[in-house]
């Protein structure tokens, strides 16, 4: 396992890959230190030697997509410990990043994460996404939250036409992909493609699932909180 100098060196490598200057790398380093030092951090991966890849590299790999690099109004839905939202806020100072999370304990940690990373362009929305009133976003990011059909239903009502959903996934079962496609068709999104990515050497079968909103979402969405999981849309 890498020591302190090792994870700092790895953070520099990630920063170089994504053209982040030294000041932004230092802010990401402070975020990793918070994960290590805060006993309430809501993740099992807290050692910076592992978290630099599992959290930071995995989050920033989305910068390879133009829709991420150019987004200005962004939501990280089910933000948890703040990944990918906080690293993207550091990397994209011109974007406004909303960290949407319903668990109050996690919301409190996210506030500390914003302070540690100096992410003045990020804010916490401590609410279920179905009850969040914000609309017309450029981008919704979701990592390690739910099956694709559920993620599509979370994202569709809050995206503008022309906006995008990016979902972090290992390679899911074909049935999950089909369900995500069917939900997208119903909700006004087009499932464009699964983009294979290689965020760090030990990552396996990683892909970013990219959906684009092409028409208005039916007015009956969002459904009541919890319905997307309890009764997922089917084809």
């Amino acid at each position: 396992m890498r020591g302190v100098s090792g994870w700092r060196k790895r953070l520099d490598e990630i920063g170089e890959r994504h053209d982040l200057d030294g000041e932004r790398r230092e802010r990401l380093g402070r975020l990793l230190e918070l994960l290590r030092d805060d006993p309430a951090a809501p993740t099992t991966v807290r050692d910076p030697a592992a978290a630099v890849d599992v959290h930071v590299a995995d989050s920033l790999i989305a910068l390879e997509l133009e829709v991420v690099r150019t987004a200005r109004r962004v939501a990280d839905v089910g933000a948890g410990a703040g990944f990918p939202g906080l690293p993207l806020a550091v990397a994209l100072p011109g974007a406004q990043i909303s960290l949407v999370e319903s668990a109050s304990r996690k919301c409190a940690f996210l506030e500390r994460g914003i302070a540690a990373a100096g992410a003045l362009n990020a804010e916490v929305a401590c609410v279920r996404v179905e009850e969040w009133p914000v609309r017309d976003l450029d981008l919704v990011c979701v990592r390690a939250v739910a099956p694709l059909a559920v993620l599509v239903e979370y994202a569709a009502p809050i995206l503008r036409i022309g906006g995008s959903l990016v979902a972090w996934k290992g390679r899911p079962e074909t049935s999950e992909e089909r369900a995500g496609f069917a939900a997208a068709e119903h909700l006004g999104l087009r499932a464009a493609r699964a983009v294979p990515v290689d965020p760090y050497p030990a990552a396996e079968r990683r892909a970013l699932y990219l959906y684009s909103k092409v028409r208005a979402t039916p007015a009956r969405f969002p459904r009541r909180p919890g319905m997307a999981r309890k009764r997922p849309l089917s084809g």
Side-chain angles (χ1 to χ4, degrees), residues 161-223:
I161 294 177
S164 300
L165 162 65
V166 176
W168 277 244
K169 282 283 181 180
R171 190 173 303 161
E173 297 294 331
T174 302
S175 59
E176 182 181 344
E177 293 181 328
R178 286 199 301 264
F181 179 84
E185 287 290 303
H186 189 78
L187 292 162
L189 274 66
R190 180 178 64 234
R193 66 188 189 277
V195 182
V197 291
D198 182 24
Y200 54 93
E204 295 182 0
R205 304 175 65 194
R206 206 70 169 130
L208 300 176
Y209 278 71
L210 175 62
Y211 297 80
S212 301
K213 187 166 181 176
V214 294
R215 61 183 183 278
T217 298
R220 71 184 185 93
F221 294 96
R223 292 187 284 171

Side-chain angles (χ1 to χ4, degrees), residues 33-49:
E33 290 171 340
L34 177 69
L35 284 183
R36 179 193 64 201
D37 298 337
D38 191 325
T43 174
T44 59
V45 182
R46 296 176 53 192
D47 184 340

